[in-house]
Amino acid sequence: MTDSSDVTACDGEREPDPSDSLRTFGAVVQALREHAGLSRVEFGAQVRFSKHTVESVELGRRMPDVAFVERAEEVLGNTGALRRGAQYVTRGRGDVGLAVWFRRWARLEREAVSLCTYECRLVPGLLQSEAYARAVFEGTVPVAPDEQLESFMAKRMERQRLLFERPTTPFSFIVEEHVFRRRFGDAQQVRGMLDHALALSAPRNVTLQIVPLEAGLHACLDGPVQLLETPKGQRLGYSEGQQNGRLISDPKEVSLLQQRYDTLRSQALNAKDSRGLLERLRGEL
């Protein structure tokens, strides 16, 4: 049994907007990498981070993880420059575009070794098309100003990079059929949403299962839930409602939610049949 150290360590650590110190640190990393004759892909392989993560750090868009700094030091000569410089890097306002109650979970899911999502209200954020996400944000009350809406959109689309940046991390989605049947915009936008969900769920590490309308009542009727496992083996849950979200760390409660999720997984259509259902829905438009 692990303690709650993973949760505590991640509390408040957010993806920042570029700040002067972040840009400076990123420029130093880039200069040292180029001096070593390494491309971002080659460097990323050596520090065990994706090319996109390396790029984000170098451009000052991402707060460097401790692991990134330590591995980068080893690869780039152990001069101590990165370790010392990292002490003075300050965070920007990386929480812009994320609901206050969701920020902590968003930080955790970027480090998770597995992520499970059950959704009964709307298409999960990690699978939403741009048009669908925009329709969701435009329908919020109170109405979001244009600048804030664009910030929401940018953050929503950025989160989806997780599915590509972490090809060995299992992502499981279980979604109610009626979610994909709910209309928004015109037929072309709905087709685009279905195509997007099909494309993002195509990689081998991503599984999308649909709970068909005829499945009847099931164990997850209390509402949507997300579950993840941290690199240290801690299992956590997250549930969300109107204007609030709750991070769940109690092992007994998380275990119960996992049991419900696993039960629903057996009741939902398998991945192949789920894709077939989405393709049929697309053909009906």
Side-chain angles (χ1 to χ4, degrees):
M1 186 78 65
T2 56
D3 58 24
S4 60
S5 58
D6 282 359
V7 178
T8 303
C10 291
D11 188 17
E13 293 190 23
R14 312 166 196 158
E15 198 80 6
D17 285 342
S19 65
D20 289 342
S21 61
L22 273 170
R23 291 192 186 96
T24 300
F25 181 85
V28 172
V29 172
Q30 182 173 354
L32 291 174
R33 173 182 61 76
E34 292 175 347
H35 181 72
L38 298 172
S39 68
R40 282 175 175 159
V41 173
E42 293 168 335
F43 178 64
Q46 293 194 42
V47 297
R48 303 197 296 281
F49 281 88
S50 71
K51 169 193 171 184
H52 300 291
T53 297
V54 173
E55 179 182 21
S56 292
V57 171
E58 291 185 350
L59 296 179
R61 296 197 300 250
R62 176 184 174 118
M63 178 66 66
D65 303 87
V66 173
F68 181 95
V69 174
E70 290 300 317
R71 294 171 193 168
E73 271 286 4
E74 295 174 5
V75 172
L76 300 176
N78 270 320
T79 64
L82 298 182
R83 289 192 186 95
R84 294 181 184 180
Q87 299 176 29
Y88 302 101
V89 174
T90 57
R91 293 177 172 81
R93 296 179 63 244
D95 52 358
V96 173
L98 291 177
V100 172
W101 54 86
F102 185 73
R103 293 170 189 166
R104 197 175 181 188
W105 182 260
R107 178 65 178 86
L108 286 164
E109 73 177 4
R110 286 196 292 270
E111 307 295 332
V113 298
S114 68
L115 182 69
C116 298
T117 300
Y118 164 66
E119 185 56 75
C120 56
R121 307 164 305 171
L122 71 171
V123 176
L126 289 175
L127 299 179
Q128 290 179 5
S129 66
E130 185 171 347
Y132 186 95
R134 186 172 294 278
V136 170
F137 290 131
E138 287 180 344
T140 58
V141 177
V143 175
D146 289 344
E147 181 179 344
Q148 189 178 46
L149 187 146
E150 293 307 317
S151 178
F152 290 161
M153 286 294 302
K155 185 60 69 174
R156 175 62 50 86
M157 295 298 104
E158 179 187 343
R159 282 184 59 226
Q160 295 185 0
R161 291 167 53 184
L162 282 174
L163 302 176
F164 301 99
E165 292 181 348
R166 312 193 67 190
T168 61
T169 299
F171 293 90
S172 170
F173 298 92
I174 301 177
V175 186
E176 299 282 352
E177 179 182 342
H178 69 79
V179 167
F180 289 105
R181 287 186 175 276
R182 185 185 295 276
R183 295 301 182 93
F184 76 100
D186 55 29
Q188 182 177 353
Q189 290 176 316
V190 177
R191 278 195 295 269
M193 176 269 289
L194 294 171
D195 285 340
H196 193 70
L198 285 165
L200 292 186
S201 60
R204 289 186 296 117
N205 65 311
V206 182
T207 303
L208 172 60
Q209 293 180 256
I210 306 298
V211 183
L213 296 176
E214 61 268 22
L217 304 180
H218 55 73
C220 286
L221 293 178
D222 283 350
V225 66
Q226 296 187 58
L227 299 157
L228 63 74
E229 182 179 354
T230 73
K232 292 184 179 180
Q234 185 182 21
R235 295 184 181 275
L236 302 167
Y238 175 79
S239 65
E240 189 170 84
Q242 294 279 347
Q243 293 297 105
N244 70 84
R246 185 168 70 97
L247 179 64
I248 305 164
S249 59
D250 179 74
K252 291 183 179 179
E253 188 172 357
V254 174
S255 177
L256 175 60
L257 292 174
Q258 187 68 61
Q259 291 176 46
R260 291 177 179 176
Y261 189 89
D262 291 341
T263 300
L264 182 58
R265 180 181 279 169
S266 69
Q267 297 172 314
L269 298 176
N270 62 38
K272 180 180 178 181
D273 291 341
S274 295
R275 293 183 65 82
L277 175 56
L278 292 186
E279 289 166 355
R280 288 197 300 275
L281 291 179
R282 189 188 187 286
E284 293 173 2
L285 296 170

